[in-house]
């Protein structure tokens, strides 16, 4: 973040802008989380690509997309998934078992939100194989993410269209946040949106409180709260239960 007049560092690595912290968690009704590099420590598509010997190629596209350097997120994801063609389907379980870790503070933050009466939403440009497991592990209420197509025990390099659309990109993340708020009967101002990449910016802009977690520069600059060091539960120093 720049040194705007409304910005202040309330603790090392924890910056707020334009809000009068501390806020009350009970004043919110929904907490929406990105998954890859936010709730979890990896980019799943990059780790799957490692099984095809293409991690560096895929990771370079992921990094550019998360920094906002690729305008068309859907096309960037299609390019990455196409490179996964032929990867055995059981590689997904291997990634989950050996590579996927929750980020520090994720369990505490989600549990505290739930105990304060908030509903929780996971919205991801990643894949249901992982988001469903993270949802179940953390007890998250709602999810939206993408489905990898599998045929004859291997990834086809394509994704499966779903009833709501083809790919969960930034626009879909925002739409899902607003749709969930409407279903809960709350204004978007009562939503918290937490992410790290450029495809999180639309939902962060729609929410009442935007949080950047170890985020790309564009995302950090746009957020009301930036957690630059430590775990996700540092948000509880700003929004107190």
């Amino acid at each position: 973040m720049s040194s705007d007049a409304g910005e202040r560092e309330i603790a090392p690595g924890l910056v707020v802008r334009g809000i009068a912290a501390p806020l009350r968690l009970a004043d919110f009704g929904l907490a929406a989380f990105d998954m890859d590099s936010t709730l979890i420590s990896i980019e799943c598509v990059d780790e799957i690509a490692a099984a095809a010997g293409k991690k560096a190629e895929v990771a370079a596209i992921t990094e550019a997309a998360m920094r906002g350097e690729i305008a068309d997120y859907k096309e960037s994801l299609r390019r990455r998934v196409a490179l996964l063609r032929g990867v055995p389907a059981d590689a997904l379980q291997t990634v989950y078992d050996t590579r996927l870790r929750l980020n520090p503070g994720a369990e505490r933050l989600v549990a505290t939100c739930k105990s304060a009466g908030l509903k929780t939403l996971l919205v991801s440009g990643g894949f249901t194989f992982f988001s469903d497991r993270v949802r179940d592990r953390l007890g998250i209420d709602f999810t939206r993410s993408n489905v990898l197509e599998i045929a004859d025990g291997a990834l086809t390099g394509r994704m499966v269209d779903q009833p709501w659309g083809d790919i969960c990109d930034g626009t879909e993340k925002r739409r899902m946040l607003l749709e969930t708020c409407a279903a809960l009967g709350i204004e978007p101002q009562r939503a918290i949106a937490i992410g790290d990449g450029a495809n999180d910016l639309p939902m962060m802009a729609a929410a009442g409180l935007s949080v950047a977690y170890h985020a790309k520069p564009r995302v950090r600059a746009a957020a009301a709260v930036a957690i630059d060091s430590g775990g996700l539960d540092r948000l509880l120093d700003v929004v107190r239960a």
Side-chain angles (χ1 to χ4, degrees):
M1 289 182 186
S2 63
S3 55
D4 289 355
E7 175 189 317
R8 61 193 177 98
E9 187 174 54
I10 62 174
L14 184 63
V15 175
V16 299
R17 172 191 279 165
I19 60 172
L23 305 174
R24 282 181 5 109
L25 192 57
D27 290 337
F28 294 91
L30 176 69
F33 298 89
D34 171 52
M35 183 175 70
D36 293 32
S37 297
T38 300
L39 276 178
I40 65 175
S41 62
I42 61 170
E43 294 285 338
C44 292
V45 67
D46 297 355
E47 300 304 326
I48 300 167
K54 296 178 179 177
K55 182 173 181 177
E57 185 177 356
V58 170
I61 302 171
T62 300
E63 176 69 12
M66 292 304 99
R67 292 179 67 90
E69 296 165 1
I70 298 176
D72 189 338
Y73 177 85
K74 288 187 177 184
E75 182 56 31
S76 83
L77 186 59
R78 289 190 186 100
R79 284 170 57 197
R80 285 175 281 165
V81 170
L83 292 168
L84 306 180
R85 182 179 178 184
V87 171
D90 59 13
L92 302 178
Q93 188 66 47
T94 300
V95 169
Y96 181 79
D97 291 339
T98 66
R99 300 293 299 154
L100 188 149
R101 299 291 182 268
L102 295 176
N103 268 327
E107 289 174 292
R108 180 178 176 231
L109 178 57
V110 172
T112 303
C113 286
K114 291 169 67 70
S115 66
L118 283 71
K119 294 296 186 181
T120 50
L121 167 66
L122 187 163
V123 275
S124 176
F127 310 115
T128 52
F129 182 92
F130 303 103
S131 62
D132 286 356
R133 286 160 175 77
V134 172
R135 173 200 64 200
D136 294 347
R137 189 166 167 182
L138 293 174
I140 287 174
D141 297 295
F142 311 106
T143 62
R144 178 146 296 175
S145 58
N146 303 302
V147 178
L148 289 168
E149 185 179 69
I150 296 173
D152 300 321
L155 304 187
T156 66
R158 295 185 296 270
M159 288 168 284
V160 179
D161 287 356
Q162 299 181 72
W164 48 263
D166 55 353
I167 289 175
C168 185
D169 60 354
T171 299
E172 183 59 29
K173 288 187 176 191
R174 178 182 183 275
R175 196 182 76 80
M176 183 61 178
L177 181 142
L178 295 175
E179 181 182 287
T180 305
C181 286
L184 296 173
I186 64 172
E187 294 298 318
Q189 196 64 22
R190 292 186 59 207
I192 303 169
I194 306 168
D196 74 289
N199 63 331
D200 297 316
L201 286 168
M203 75 167 179
M204 289 169 64
L209 184 67
S210 55
V211 181
Y213 179 70
H214 294 228
K216 304 305 181 189
R218 273 185 61 191
V219 181
R220 187 182 184 279
V225 180
I227 302 170
D228 296 328
S229 63
L232 280 162
D233 55 346
R234 295 201 73 193
L235 181 58
L236 300 174
D237 293 336
V238 179
V239 189
R240 294 181 180 168

